[in-house]
Amino acid sequence: MTSHHRWHRPAVLATATLAALSLSSGIASAGPGGWVPSPGSDGAGDSYYPQDGNGGYDVADYNLKVDYAPDTHQLTGLQTISARATQSLSSFDLDLRGLTVDSVKVNGRTAQFSRTGDHELVIKPSFPLLRGLPFQAVVAYHGVPASIHDPALGANGWQFAKSGGAFAAGEPKSATTWYPVNDTPRDKATFHLAITVPDEWGVIANGRETGSRKTANGTTHQWVETTPVAPYMTTVAIDKWTFDRQKRKDGTPIVSAFAPGTPDSTKQAEARLPEILDFLESKFGRYPVDAAGGIFLAEPIGFSLETLSRPIYSGRAGNVDTIVHENAHQWYGDTVAVDHWKDVCLNECFASYATWLWDEAKNGVDLDAQYLDQVKRASTSFWNGKLYDMGPGNEFTYVYSKGPMALHALSKYMGQAAFDRVLKTWNTVHHNGNASMQEFQHYAEQVSHRDLQGFFDAWIYGNGKPAEQYLYPGDLKPAA
């Protein structure tokens, strides 16, 4: 887990004076993380996507102002990033794909910048940034956003709707297609968005609505997400929405948006969201986000996505099971995010198992019988599917099918009471942080007072059909 200390809207620093004092003090230490300024890393070091994200700083808040013209697809943005240097920086990188950068300022002074690779924006401040101190970077940019093609999932990032609107959705990459960002799940930040569109268009995004106002260019819509969010979980969607607004019993706002042509069956499924969140709370603990809802597209894109507080749904996925799955991610995947992408089972295995738990509670499904039937029907290729360190591009495969089976077997192996306690407290232990599969294993061992290495080797870290002691633990018995 990586713990971040947050700074809110830091003041502009007298960087030149501080830099001079530091460099003349005689106590400077060389090397990364020391006091001598050096370039921040151009990648965050993920084992699958090492160039995604950057090093040398920690973002506290993104404050993004965007003008978007649906008729031309032109986006004009002004991004203000509040961050803290984790090393003394002579330069640092942000991630941005394709769009044209017009200017950069750091702590109020014009900064040099250059572009390298397919998404690196390299920024050199007028004066070095000192380790441990907050700084602010402001990037003005414009252009027509372009999506990223994923061989398995299709288009990711900024995408255009047939209605003429647009939306942002993608995993593991998305945010870089529409704003400058430190694109790693390990650097979460709060997110302020003010987006101006022509008056006839509606906007929905993460978090809470904080107002709208008329401008010369249309209407500016303001949304604020105060729960620290991983960049790929941020979203905005522009269309001629039908909105549904309600509240949970505790006052949490629920805002859902339906694209033109959304079937009544989808709206009826989303109407059950308060019931779904109540159920998930009973299994996973208190709802960990400050808002809720859903964004229901007309487009049948290749996935639905757990964008924080307000999942975004493919036009062909407006059903209760998908709504349960994506909202379970608010606990597993969003407020507790992966440490590295090889840990993605911590997201998808658990959200998939949430639909099993829902079917048991609401539809009377016998989970033991379901599990045993799936064991009986499983193929060799199924057992060889990996749930951990499955390789880049293979993250979103067996985690949806083999993953919930592994968790059901784990509930029997470690004992139901201990398993239920782990499910309900995991988010509290790692709330707003990141976690690895090894940390989950160790926590499950701590709660159950059992050595679970053999089980995790059989189901999670290895592949092949698990030995019978792990395949049929507890009161699970092989199907006749």
Side-chain angles (χ1 to χ4, degrees), residues 65 194 250 361 406 421:
K65 295 178 174 63
D250 65 1
R421 183 181 171 196

Side-chain angles (χ1 to χ4, degrees), residues 20-373:
L21 288 172
S22 174
L23 295 177
S24 64
S25 65
I27 58 171
S29 59
W35 297 107
V36 174
S38 60
S41 170
D42 63 356
D46 184 81
S47 55
Y48 291 177
Y49 308 105
Q51 296 305 116
D52 287 0
N54 306 285
Y57 62 94
D58 173 35
V59 178
D61 179 72
Y62 295 102
N63 194 324
L64 177 60
K65 295 178 174 63
V66 169
D67 281 68
Y68 183 69
D71 58 342
T72 63
H73 297 167
Q74 185 78 13
L75 183 151
T76 302
L78 184 69
Q79 172 72 291
T80 300
I81 299 172
S82 299
R84 175 181 63 92
T86 57
Q87 70 177 70
S88 292
L89 291 166
S90 57
S91 66
F92 64 95
D93 286 21
L94 292 169
D95 301 306
L96 181 67
R97 291 177 178 268
L99 299 168
T100 299
V101 175
D102 300 308
S103 66
V104 178
K105 289 186 176 182
V106 178
N107 291 336
R109 293 178 175 269
T110 299
Q112 298 177 25
F113 65 90
S114 60
R115 307 293 291 272
T116 63
D118 65 355
H119 66 264
E120 297 291 342
L121 169 60
V122 184
I123 297 170
K124 186 175 182 181
S126 298
F127 299 99
L129 305 175
L130 297 187
R131 176 185 175 185
L133 294 182
F135 68 91
Q136 191 174 83
V138 179
V139 182
Y141 64 101
H142 74 278
V144 175
S147 61
I148 305 164
H149 178 72
D150 182 277
L153 301 176
N156 276 251
W158 192 273
Q159 302 175 55
F160 303 111
K162 292 178 182 177
S163 65
F167 59 92
E171 184 179 14
K173 306 170 194 289
S174 174
T176 57
T177 62
W178 63 292
Y179 66 88
V181 63
N182 189 23
D183 194 22
T184 168
R186 301 182 75 186
D187 194 2
K188 298 179 180 182
T190 54
F191 188 71
H192 292 71
L193 175 66
I195 179 167
T196 303
V197 294
D199 293 336
E200 65 269 25
W201 294 93
V203 171
I204 189 165
N206 308 89
R208 298 190 180 213
E209 299 173 280
T210 58
S212 62
R213 64 181 187 276
K214 297 287 187 179
T215 70
N217 297 324
T219 302
T220 299
H221 304 265
Q222 295 174 295
W223 294 81
V224 175
E225 182 54 80
T226 58
T227 302
V229 55
Y232 80 92
M233 296 173 192
T234 60
T235 189
V236 66
I238 303 153
D239 214 315
K240 296 178 180 178
W241 305 107
T242 298
F243 287 95
D244 179 75
R245 292 176 172 86
Q246 53 183 313
K247 289 185 178 181
R248 297 192 69 208
K249 293 175 184 177
D250 65 1
T252 300
I254 300 176
V255 182
S256 298
F258 304 95
T262 299
D264 288 342
S265 60
T266 294
K267 295 177 182 178
Q268 291 163 6
E270 178 69 354
R272 298 184 70 181
L273 183 57
E275 176 191 1
I276 290 169
L277 294 178
D278 287 347
F279 171 77
L280 293 173
E281 271 196 339
S282 75
K283 297 297 182 181
F284 301 150
R286 184 177 179 180
Y287 183 61
V289 195
D290 63 350
I295 303 168
F296 292 85
L297 305 172
E299 275 64 34
I301 60 174
F303 56 90
S304 296
L305 185 65
E306 61 272 19
T307 40
L308 186 76
S309 74
R310 195 155 289 113
I312 190 165
Y313 297 93
S314 166
R316 58 189 175 197
N319 56 70
V320 168
D321 275 357
T322 305
I323 294 169
V324 170
H325 179 106
E326 301 304 340
N327 281 281
H329 275 307
Q330 306 306 306
W331 287 264
Y332 286 89
D334 287 24
T335 48
V336 181
V338 293
D339 192 48
H340 288 80
W341 281 105
K342 64 184 177 182
D343 298 304
V344 74
C345 180
L346 288 176
N347 298 9
E348 301 300 343
C349 296
F350 289 82
S352 298
Y353 193 57
T355 66
W356 281 40
L357 297 174
W358 173 269
D359 283 342
E360 177 186 46
K362 302 294 183 175
N363 302 320
V365 172
D366 183 335
L367 295 189
D368 288 357
Q370 177 173 292
Y371 171 88
L372 292 170
D373 180 64

